[in-house]
Amino acid sequence: MSGDEPNTPRSSVWQGFLGTASVVAYALLFELARNLVLNSFGESAAVKVAAGTLRWLSVLVVAVAAVYVGYRFLQRYREKARTARELAMIADLIEPGPRVDVAPVPRPDRTTDERWNDPLVAVLRDLPVNDFETAALLAVLAAILETEARLSEAPEERQFTAPTVLARLVERGVVVCLGVQRYCLSKEPGQPTKEEVLAGPQWRAALTALVRFYADRATRWVFALDSVRFAAGARRWFDAEEPVLRELVSQCALLGAAVPVNLVPELVRIGDALDGWYARMGKREHHRRVAAKLSRVSGLENLVAQRDLVRMRANLLRERPRRYRPRNLSTSLAARWEHRAALRLLERRRPLGRGRRGVDLAEVAAGLEAAWWALPREDVAGEVCALINLAVVHLRQGRLDAAQDRLELAASLTRTGRDPDGRAHIRETMGVVWWARGEFHRALRSWQQALTGYRALADDPGTARCLQHLGSAMIVAPEYGATLLAADSTPTPEQVQRQATGWLAEAHRLHRLHRLHRPDAECHAQHYVAQARSTGLVPLDHIDQWPLPLPDPAIR
């Protein structure tokens, strides 16, 4: 523990105190002290009380250690069960391949025949979205047909299945293929009316099937974002489907009381998945807009925990969440409230010039620490996020020991493979600490590990930051370039700086690509490129040679 932050204990303190060797040593020490007391002072009543106290202390140490071991065993068991569930959830996912640019299929103009009466097509017409991937459309059609079969007086006479109905709709030109595995509605009936359709069970069944289909897919793919094997495919899936998910939430919010009550938790699942995706890509504005629309979904007010979480994401929650059951969810929401309040304070009170009040970093650090203490221990990602932000605040305070302490604690939470993206962020921030300490080789090693992890997880914003760290470091200190470049001979400073300009060019490209997602992000890559150009160097406009990879065993 750093000497300047006595209020935040490390988990290693308890692990050291309750380790096997320590428990045996303490028990033997208390027993030895008891024997010494008896042998030195005789059998008086006071001595017997002291000796009995020492014996009970040794028993207490062993008992506490046994409880701790049992607790750790239970935690490991729960962790294995959680990991098994998540692996089973994503094991059969089929990753989308890289996108191939082809000429877009022209979207047909939708026509309406006011005399045409078709209840099934009318249901498709009045769903929140009218563009479907094949699996989603088949799920919707199957739900409609099953509902009609249940309402029919002769369900055994059912002749059509979802694939045959889809084939008939395509043959009639009612739905048109927009490309591989995607359809849109091109013809719609005038009858029955929208009010009649929304009042019918077929529409509710179809909407439930549609939302549940996308909720299941989004939940699985957001877990896949933290898997090295599936991360690139998960990103491609969200790139393609995020507009559909966002539109689905927006349109359901406009339906008002027509949304079935049992569908609200499914919409919350979609919101959770989008929140994870936006957090990964730094799309804060999208994050808030979707949460604001989700907060207007009818029926959400009956789900207290989900309501508070959605409102918090939309910055609409004006007071700390109240306590309710389950307690771990309640405390988690309260911790996130503290965390967000501290970050808002940090953003709102930046030093903006003479006479303006600067940020009170001590107050921000206290808020982040309170959030970390309140988080449930099983919320590893939340703990890691709070500790990284706390370390960044300590860096701004110039308290390098405290920052390193928080990052080491966060690293200990992720050494078993939990939250790999958070671990890469830990390595990135630790590189800043080492650089500030003058430990340049350690800083470069940390950034190499972070870059390797970010690339494995297809995290473009993280990749851009690490390329900027390494590129700017090589511009100002090219003598360390042999650490990062593969070469048969030691590269010259000019060669190192030229490669660094390629890294900075890629960082600049990625920053520009994501500028709409983070309008306040500052990219200083061009500053260092200009510095290299001032020496007569011709900079690269692309990466010629990536920094050497340095895998982190915990990112897998």
Side-chain angles (χ1 to χ4, degrees), residues 306-499:
Q306 289 83 352
R307 178 202 64 194
D308 287 350
L309 178 59
V310 169
R311 289 180 178 175
M312 189 185 302
R313 289 171 179 166
N315 286 338
L316 299 175
L317 192 63
R318 304 306 179 193
E319 58 183 13
R320 182 188 175 99
R322 293 175 294 177
R323 292 187 178 183
Y324 41 73
R325 295 183 182 277
R327 188 174 182 276
N328 62 338
L329 180 58
S330 175
T331 55
S332 180
L333 283 177
R336 277 165 169 72
W337 167 267
E338 296 286 353
H339 194 169
R340 286 173 172 268
L343 294 182
R344 283 197 301 269
L345 180 66
L346 188 62
E347 293 177 356
R348 190 166 55 241
R349 299 169 63 185
R350 289 175 179 170
L352 297 176
R354 196 172 186 181
R356 302 292 297 275
R357 186 179 180 186
V359 59
D360 186 350
L361 293 175
E363 186 178 354
V364 175
L368 291 172
E369 187 174 343
W372 176 68
W373 273 105
L375 280 166
R377 297 303 96 175
E378 61 268 20
D379 187 359
V380 172
E383 285 194 83
V384 168
C385 181
L387 289 168
I388 290 174
N389 284 330
L390 188 55
V392 171
V393 172
H394 288 326
L395 275 170
R396 292 181 60 177
Q397 291 176 310
R399 301 172 59 198
L400 301 182
D401 287 341
Q404 183 175 344
D405 179 41
R406 303 305 174 267
L407 293 172
E408 288 176 353
L409 176 54
S412 72
L413 297 173
T414 59
R415 62 174 176 261
T416 60
R418 293 287 298 272
D419 193 17
D421 198 70
R423 186 172 181 87
H425 201 173
I426 294 167
R427 295 300 184 198
E428 178 192 350
T429 313
M430 186 66 84
V432 179
V433 174
W434 289 126
W435 189 269
R437 287 187 180 278
E439 298 275 0
F440 300 140
H441 281 295
R442 287 188 173 185
L444 296 177
R445 180 181 176 86
S446 293
W447 287 330
Q448 275 181 281
Q449 286 185 316
L451 176 62
T452 305
Y454 283 137
R455 292 187 68 194
L457 295 167
D459 186 335
D460 276 359
T463 299
R465 292 195 306 269
C466 286
L467 286 173
Q468 185 166 310
H469 294 321
L470 293 170
S472 58
M474 291 302 96
I475 295 295
V476 300
E479 60 270 22
Y480 295 98
T483 304
L484 303 177
L485 295 174
D488 297 332
S489 59
T490 303
T492 64
E494 291 75 18
Q495 291 173 328
V496 172
Q497 290 182 325
R498 189 166 187 271
Q499 294 297 331

Side-chain angles (χ1 to χ4, degrees), residues 101 491 503:
D101 291 330
W503 304 342

